[in-house]
Amino acid sequence: MDIHDSKTQEPKAPARSARVQQKVEARRRQIYAAATELFSVQGYRAASMRELAAALNMNKATLYHYVQSKEQLLTMLYTEVIAENTAIMQAVIGRGLSAAETLREVLVQRVEYTTTHQPLLRIFYEEELELPPNLSAPLRQEREHYERVLLELVQRGLNEGSLRSPVSAQMTVNTLLGAVNWTYRWYKPGGPLSPRAFAEGVTDTVLGGLLV
């Protein structure tokens, strides 16, 4: 083999490595989806890694090759929910809309996300106490960051006069989140409204007394 031949073959190793990594990530996504379904139906504490492996048609040793523990899986679920909702909110804020328009769209997309990820949100809201203490603190900080950004948005709307509320900005945020977060419990897929239409209806209802 001459020098030219060896050079033309050099990229093959990185290409193979990328393909392997893609397969690993795809397998982890399958595990993640199966864990979401299992934890949602049985509850986190009752579910076992053995049952998860069985649902995936793999043995426990193979499962532990991809994830270290059940606690790690739960942490991954929480991390994804917070990261995705924060990214959604920041994208809406980046549009440069008014405070009232931004708040409405943030809430609409949050309800829509909740209704299209019901098993995941069931875990998120009902299994928080199962998070390991050393992992729950940073996740709680990320969640509080989301709420602070929302608080700043509401306060801006109150200052501008596009929003009104008989209570403080913080109480307003708490009320809004309390209303939209629990839609995962009573939204029925396959009903007359699409997730987007449902989300707009819920949001317009909870914002009815706030918009000027």
Side-chain angles (χ1 to χ4, degrees):
M1 180 182 297
D2 60 24
I3 296 177
H4 177 73
D5 289 338
S6 64
K7 287 183 178 179
T8 58
Q9 294 184 14
E10 284 179 0
K12 288 185 178 180
R16 282 196 299 270
S17 177
R19 286 196 298 270
V20 169
Q21 186 61 33
Q22 289 174 354
K23 290 181 179 179
V24 169
E25 290 303 317
R27 195 55 167 158
R28 282 183 176 150
R29 295 306 300 178
Q30 291 176 341
I31 294 170
Y32 174 86
T36 300
E37 182 65 22
L38 184 64
F39 295 169
S40 176
V41 172
Q42 294 191 197
Y44 172 77
R45 184 169 295 187
S48 70
M49 292 295 275
R50 184 183 301 279
E51 291 172 307
L52 179 58
L56 290 159
N57 293 317
M58 65 171 63
N59 59 50
K60 285 180 65 177
T62 303
L63 177 59
Y64 281 115
H65 174 72
Y66 292 98
V67 293
Q68 297 176 359
S69 64
K70 194 168 74 164
E71 289 80 6
Q72 183 191 41
L73 277 170
L74 185 64
T75 303
M76 288 169 59
L77 298 179
Y78 272 81
T79 300
E80 176 163 310
V81 172
I82 295 172
E84 289 187 344
N85 278 274
T86 299
I88 290 170
M89 178 173 63
Q90 293 294 353
V92 174
I93 291 175
R95 296 182 189 179
L97 304 172
S98 69
E101 291 172 321
T102 300
L103 177 62
R104 180 183 185 276
E105 185 60 23
V106 166
L107 294 178
V108 166
Q109 293 205 31
R110 187 176 179 98
V111 175
E112 187 173 10
Y113 179 92
T114 299
T115 56
T116 54
H117 296 77
Q118 283 176 287
L120 181 59
L121 270 295
R122 183 175 295 108
I123 298 167
F124 186 84
Y125 290 119
E126 297 179 17
E127 303 287 3
E128 185 174 6
L129 293 179
E130 299 295 342
L131 285 168
N134 62 315
L135 298 176
S136 62
L139 290 174
R140 191 179 302 111
Q141 290 176 355
E142 291 298 320
R143 191 169 175 176
E144 290 172 353
H145 170 72
Y146 177 96
E147 294 175 1
R148 282 198 304 272
V149 174
L150 194 61
L151 175 62
E152 292 170 2
L153 179 60
V154 169
Q155 187 63 63
R156 178 160 66 89
L158 294 173
N159 294 341
E160 292 174 353
S162 61
L163 297 175
R164 62 186 175 194
S165 177
V167 295
S168 68
Q170 182 64 66
M171 291 179 66
T172 301
V173 169
N174 293 345
T175 301
L176 293 174
L177 290 178
V180 303
N181 286 350
W182 289 86
T183 52
Y184 81 92
R185 299 196 69 173
W186 47 270
Y187 173 73
K188 303 298 182 184
L193 296 178
S194 68
R196 175 72 189 192
F198 172 83
E200 289 179 339
V202 170
T203 300
D204 289 340
T205 298
V206 299
L207 285 180
L210 292 177
L211 299 178
V212 174

